[in-house]
Amino acid sequence: MASQKIYILGIESSCDDTAASVICNGQILSNVVANQKIHEAYGGVVPELASRAHQQNIVPVVHQALEKAGITKDDLHAIAFTKGPGLMGSLLVGTSFAKSLAYGLNIPLIDVNHMQAHILAHFIEEDGFEKPPFPFLAMTISGGHTQIVKVSNYFEMDVIGETIDDAVGEAYDKSGKILGLGYPAGPEIDKRAQLGNPKAFQFTKPKVAGLNFSFSGLKTAILYFVQREVNNNPDFIQENLNDICASIQYTIIGILIDKLKLASKQTGIKHIAIGGGVSANSGIRKALKDGEHKFGWKTYVPKFEFTTDNAAMIAIVGYLKYLEGDFAEFNVTASARLKI
Ligand code: KG4
Ligand code: ZN
């Protein structure tokens, strides 16, 4: 098998990105993502519109992924797709398409857990990116997820902490909405945070026991704070925007790092990997690097295109499961609340 080339197509459609990727023995040959711009106008993902856009995009995106990889569908050995978690209408598009294609080609179908995929994206072969050794801690931070996972092996994962309400990306996006910024607001808050004073305004960190997170209280605290200040000075936001962003970012990063420190202490694991759209954040990246000096951590951040929602991460899980012969039945169904 070592010299044989195994081609797997990965399909991701759990939220608002329609994505397809071809992997050959751990190496990504193509990684195509169609972002759905339509949601920007609504300040968040509208599930019904997302499903329709997936239906529109799925065939062209898969076609492009095959073309970029320089193969045809007849070269494929298996089709991997996101089974969940995610928006049901969105998942159904990818699941049904993957089934039909695998059935038509008479090749195996492989179901993939989106959250496992965010973590296993670290195992894509990529120059200059080191793979974390087992066991390691993975923190997935995005608009839909906030979890700390103990990863003992490719498919042996335990969620040891997660948000009890909003995801960290939502905290960014909802704070941005309060400040009148566009959606998603994470990148702009990050940019402005680097120009502001992180200690200008204080927001209390939520008190959540153990390794779980909560971000909804922070959003409310920011809302009340802004309303109060704007009452006194209608130009408060414009005059202090960078400082407000820096203070919000400082608070959020503090929450994430506190929990990572606790997780590392409780498990004795110092290898820490992150994934999800928020791992692009300059503050979290710096805090992780600081953790290498301060706490003896070794940290891992995958290539950016593999951290946000993408199909390369689905394809790598497909490849790992293919090697195990772990295939799905053709009556498999999407699962909106699929757990790790
Ligand atoms: O992984 P992703 O592309 O999609 C999912 O939510 O699954 O993550 C998108 C989230 C959004 O909430 C966005 O505001 C946030 O990631 N984000 C950031 C940054 N870049 C993206 N948050 C903070 N700082 C950033 N630089
Ligand atoms: Zn995701």
Side-chain angles (χ1 to χ4, degrees):
M1 180 166 278
S3 61
Q4 199 196 344
K5 284 189 168 171
I6 306 293
Y7 292 102
I8 292 176
L9 173 70
I11 293 172
E12 154 66 30
S13 73
S14 66
C15 189
D16 61 338
D17 295 306
T18 319
S21 168
V22 175
I23 194 167
C24 177
N25 298 9
Q27 215 136 29
I28 297 299
L29 302 184
S30 63
N31 184 28
V32 178
V33 183
N35 300 113
Q36 302 179 358
K37 292 270 171 241
I38 187 154
H39 306 288
E40 284 171 15
Y42 297 87
V45 177
V46 184
E48 167 101 16
L49 297 178
S51 320
R52 288 184 202 204
H54 282 307
Q55 275 204 321
Q56 236 167 28
N57 295 338
I58 190 105
V59 171
V61 163
V62 167
H63 182 80
Q64 218 182 322
L66 291 169
E67 206 169 63
K68 279 197 176 165
I71 63 166
T72 72
K73 53 187 186 306
D74 297 314
D75 296 316
L76 291 170
H77 291 79
I79 312 284
F81 71 97
T82 304
K83 173 183 162 82
L87 300 170
M88 187 44 106
S90 293
L91 291 166
L92 285 175
V93 178
T95 305
S96 303
F97 182 84
K99 276 190 190 194
S100 316
L101 188 57
Y103 186 64
L105 293 170
N106 202 20
I107 55 175
L109 179 68
I110 300 172
D111 58 322
V112 174
N113 179 311
H114 179 93
M115 298 309 299
Q116 281 192 342
H118 268 301
I119 295 168
L120 295 175
H122 285 272
F123 294 92
I124 292 170
E125 301 285 347
E126 191 65 40
D127 286 345
F129 289 84
E130 213 181 322
K131 296 173 189 165
F134 299 114
F136 65 91
L137 294 177
M139 185 169 72
T140 39
I141 41 177
S142 76
H145 349 283
T146 307
Q147 287 189 330
I148 300 181
V149 182
K150 182 182 166 201
V151 187
S152 306
N153 219 317
Y154 290 133
F155 299 108
E156 208 186 318
M157 300 186 184
D158 296 295
V159 178
I160 56 174
E162 63 189 327
T163 183
I164 55 169
D165 42 56
D166 291 349
V168 61
E170 268 180 291
Y172 269 102
D173 297 338
K174 289 179 178 174
S175 304
K177 205 168 185 176
I178 294 168
L179 297 172
L181 306 179
Y183 171 87
E188 184 173 353
I189 293 181
D190 185 13
K191 216 181 282 167
R192 290 184 172 277
Q194 294 170 59
L195 306 170
N197 172 10
K199 305 263 174 76
F201 307 105
Q202 257 95 50
F203 300 107
T204 31
K205 288 188 205 162
K207 290 185 181 53
V208 191
L211 297 173
N212 283 342
F213 299 89
S214 167
F215 288 102
S216 69
L218 177 64
K219 169 196 65 194
T220 314
I222 292 166
L223 177 66
Y224 288 161
F225 163 77
V226 169
Q227 282 176 342
R228 198 176 58 231
E229 296 294 336
V230 169
N231 253 341
N232 296 332
N233 169 15
D235 296 328
F236 175 77
I237 295 178
Q238 292 87 314
E239 288 172 7
N240 297 279
L241 193 50
N242 291 348
D243 285 348
I244 302 170
C245 289
S247 303
I248 292 172
Q249 177 136 314
Y250 180 78
T251 311
I252 292 178
I253 307 274
I255 295 168
L256 297 176
I257 294 294
D258 280 355
K259 295 292 177 172
L260 267 184
K261 267 163 62 181
L262 186 61
S264 174
K265 197 168 152 212
Q266 282 184 2
T267 58
I269 298 172
K270 288 180 182 287
H271 291 276
I272 294 171
I274 60 166
V278 182
S279 53
N281 185 269
S282 65
I284 190 74
R285 283 173 178 243
K286 185 174 177 305
L288 286 175
K289 273 283 156 235
D290 289 348
E292 298 202 336
H293 307 299
K294 281 200 223 159
F295 318 121
W297 290 351
K298 175 101 175 68
T299 62
Y300 305 82
V301 186
K303 199 173 172 188
F304 183 65
E305 65 175 299
F306 304 142
T307 69
T308 56
D309 281 353
N310 67 87
M313 68 184 195
I314 306 303
I316 182 71
V317 181
Y319 177 60
L320 294 169
K321 283 186 129 182
Y322 184 90
L323 295 179
E324 304 268 306
D326 186 356
F327 305 138
E329 300 291 338
F330 272 86
N331 62 358
V332 63
T333 56
S335 171
R337 297 185 177 278
L338 187 66
K339 300 261 182 249
I340 277 188

